[in-house]
Amino acid sequence: MTTILGLRFRENGQIYYYCAPNQVILAGQHVLVKTDQGPAMAQVALLTENLPQDVEPTELKPIQRLAEQEDLVQHEENSLLAREAIRHCRRCISQRNLDMKLVDVEILLDRSKMIFYFTAPGRIDFRELVKDLVKAYRTRIELRQIGVRHETQMLGAIGNCGQMCCCARFIRKFQPVTIKMAKEQNLFLNPTKISGMCGRLLCCLAYEQSTYEEFQRRCPKIGKKYQTNQGPVKVLRSNIFRETISVFNEHGEERELTLEEWKAIAGETWTPYIPPQQQPQQRPSAPPRPRPEPESAPDQSDTATHGDDGELVAAGLPDDPSQPRPKRKRKRKPKPRRQDAPQAPHAEPGE
């Protein structure tokens, strides 16, 4: 018979499920398993026969064997080495003035690799830090940057409800949480109330979101007016716990109705209320004004335009309006003559 084991790799950490075919294992014992990083030791937290709903049967992997006394001693030495590595790494970070925060150190059972988890606001050039760590411990070094949610998941914390944070207990994959969820659940948008220990929105906001969405689909939209057999009403608010809505009728009264009562007065299909449009008063149209007749232009055929010196430039208008008007000729002023420089008198020879 195959026994399903719930294993913890950290104290108060989340549970991962493995199987132990044809082995008798008790809760509290230590076992060796093979992970993506390498061999690791875990403690049996629980025994069960059924997998949780969020775990697929294909993800279930077998354990290697029970941990022996040598494995337990090696695991204890690795724990002491991890604490010393945290202090040494923090000193190196301070000496090199790196903008990063060391969270935890994980050492594989055979010490083939050491993983340093850290947080940082941006990208960090830690190549020199890796050289310092390799020189100190003579093994493979991996620096892995994580987010603030994973930091709280690894360290653990007490939430606003007084219990251990959900991410440290059972959450394996983080779901996206938005401020729209808090609005739909009628919560006060106070950052200290809807934020967790990591500074992000509470993960528990997503637990009941499907219930709120299903209730909102059965309710009319808040703030809208609808036509009912009792006249137009406006929906003010809804109460998911009592499954009621509050409406405001045309007589100025506020009533609380259940969803069944709402369907009785509004029907299965809700009709939005459309107020009657007020038609504007039509003013009598004024009689059209007579258009003024264009004045006839004076006959300019006899008029003449003379230049400055009395020369005739244009006489009257051209017969064809499409022909351009002749340009006025301008009299050019004579340029002043250039005076030659006076020449020196030529002296006669012998004078």
Side-chain angles (χ1 to χ4, degrees), residues 1 55 68-69 71 75 106 132 179 196 201 229 239 285 294 321 342:
M1 179 179 179
V55 179
E68 300 177 355
Q69 186 63 28
D71 300 326
H75 181 68
E106 180 183 355
D132 296 341
I179 196 66
L201 292 174
N229 53 15
N239 191 332
S285 57

Side-chain angles (χ1 to χ4, degrees), residues 19-310:
C19 64
N22 303 325
Q23 296 186 26
V24 179
I25 299 177
L26 303 177
Q29 292 181 333
H30 290 78
V31 295
L32 296 181
V33 296
K34 185 178 181 180
T35 63
D36 297 337
Q37 303 294 338
M41 180 181 292
Q43 186 179 10
V44 180
L46 57 89
L47 304 173
T48 181
E49 296 181 358
N50 299 321
L51 281 175
Q53 298 180 355
D54 58 341
V55 179
E56 297 293 337
T58 56
E59 300 178 3
L60 201 62
K61 298 180 180 180
I63 64 173
Q64 290 184 338
R65 59 180 174 85
L66 280 172
E68 300 177 355
Q69 186 63 28
E70 297 178 357
D71 300 326
L72 297 176
V73 173
Q74 183 70 25
H75 181 68
E76 186 65 25
E77 293 178 356
N78 291 346
S79 300
L80 298 177
L81 179 61
R83 296 177 186 176
E84 193 276 333
I86 291 177
R87 293 190 293 267
H88 177 71
C89 184
R90 286 176 177 172
R91 286 195 299 267
C92 296
I93 291 173
S94 178
Q95 291 175 2
R96 297 191 176 277
N97 296 325
L98 298 177
D99 189 11
M100 57 187 294
K101 175 185 176 183
L102 184 65
V103 177
D104 198 6
V105 176
E106 180 183 355
I107 303 177
L108 300 185
L109 186 63
D110 55 357
R111 296 190 182 182
S112 60
K113 184 168 63 173
M114 300 176 65
I115 305 174
F116 293 79
Y117 298 93
F118 71 95
T119 59
R123 295 179 61 89
I124 301 296
D125 186 8
F126 47 75
R127 288 176 291 182
E128 299 298 329
L129 178 61
V130 172
K131 294 179 182 179
D132 296 341
L133 298 176
V134 171
K135 183 179 179 180
Y137 299 105
R138 299 295 180 179
T139 185
R140 291 179 58 192
I141 302 296
E142 179 181 348
L143 271 73
R144 186 176 299 178
Q145 186 174 0
I146 59 176
V148 291
R149 288 183 180 270
H150 291 86
E151 178 187 4
T152 307
Q153 185 182 35
M154 297 179 66
L155 300 179
I158 304 298
N160 298 335
C161 57
Q163 298 183 7
M164 181 69 68
C165 289
C166 302
C167 57
R169 284 192 297 166
F170 57 87
I171 292 181
R172 304 182 65 181
K173 296 181 181 179
F174 291 103
Q175 299 180 2
V177 183
T178 60
I179 196 66
K180 181 181 178 181
M181 297 181 180
K183 294 180 179 179
E184 291 180 353
Q185 298 177 21
N186 297 327
L187 298 178
F188 292 103
L189 302 182
N190 188 352
T192 59
K193 298 295 182 181
I194 61 177
S195 300
M197 302 304 297
C198 58
R200 301 293 188 268
L201 292 174
L202 292 169
C203 297
C204 55
L205 292 178
Y207 298 164
E208 301 176 354
Q209 181 62 23
S210 59
T211 305
Y212 279 89
E213 291 177 355
E214 192 273 335
F215 176 73
Q216 294 296 335
R217 284 194 294 265
R218 295 188 295 145
C219 294
K221 194 172 182 179
I222 298 176
K224 295 291 184 179
K225 279 189 174 183
Y226 295 92
Q227 183 67 40
T228 64
N229 53 15
Q230 298 181 3
V233 296
K234 181 179 180 181
V235 182
L236 300 179
R237 54 187 172 271
S238 60
N239 191 332
I240 186 174
F241 303 104
R242 303 176 62 177
E243 292 192 354
T244 58
I245 58 174
S246 298
V247 298
F248 189 79
N249 57 19
E250 59 182 351
H251 303 291
E253 300 176 355
E254 182 178 343
R255 296 179 55 190
E256 186 175 8
L257 305 174
T258 62
L259 295 182
E260 289 75 12
E261 295 175 350
W262 168 255
K263 290 182 180 179
I265 65 174
E268 294 295 336
T269 57
W270 310 322
T271 305
Y273 174 70
I274 302 177
Q277 298 180 359
Q278 297 181 358
Q279 298 182 359
Q281 298 180 358
Q282 297 182 358
R283 296 181 179 180
S285 57
R289 297 180 180 179
R291 295 182 180 180
E293 297 180 359
E295 297 181 358
S296 58
D299 187 8
Q300 298 180 0
S301 58
D302 299 336
T303 59
T305 304
H306 300 272
D308 296 336
D309 54 354

